[in-house]
Amino acid sequence: MAKHPVPKRRASATRGNRRYSTWKRGELKRLNNLTKTVACPKCQQPRRPHTTCLICGYYRGRVVIDFAKKDEKKVQKVKV
Ligand SMILES: [Zn+2]
């Protein structure tokens, strides 16, 4: 007897094609979602949905990333 799992029956071309088409549809949907962007309500620049805008640092109407503060810190580090 075989010591590893062996398919009981040969998978038909139809079965394989059906599996591939289902997989491809999901994969295309996933790729489409990865590249999807929405306009930032503050600066109108494209950003990923449900994420902080990396240009103005706003998310849902408030500052999440303060770029001005970050720049100050960088300048201080460079001086020291
Ligand atoms: Zn923005």
Side-chain angles (χ1 to χ4, degrees):
M1 273 184 58
K3 288 184 178 175
H4 54 84
V6 178
K8 201 165 194 176
R9 283 189 186 280
R10 176 183 177 273
S12 69
T14 308
R15 205 183 170 96
N17 289 345
R18 194 166 50 205
R19 192 192 307 120
Y20 173 68
S21 73
T22 307
W23 170 83
K24 190 181 170 188
R25 196 174 36 168
E27 204 72 359
L28 286 174
K29 197 175 178 183
R30 196 179 62 80
L31 285 172
N32 189 30
N33 285 341
L34 278 176
T35 54
K36 203 174 266 180
T37 55
V38 291
C40 171
K42 187 159 177 70
C43 65
Q44 307 304 322
Q45 291 293 314
R47 64 165 172 80
R48 294 285 314 281
H50 311 292
T51 56
T52 306
C53 177
L54 293 174
I55 292 148
C56 63
Y58 267 71
Y59 183 63
R60 295 187 75 175
R62 64 188 185 90
V63 180
V64 180
I65 307 168
D66 199 340
F67 287 109
K69 266 188 182 177
K70 276 195 170 179
D71 288 345
E72 277 174 26
K73 276 183 184 176
K74 270 183 191 171
V75 171
Q76 282 173 351
K77 272 184 184 176
V78 170
K79 277 180 183 175
V80 173

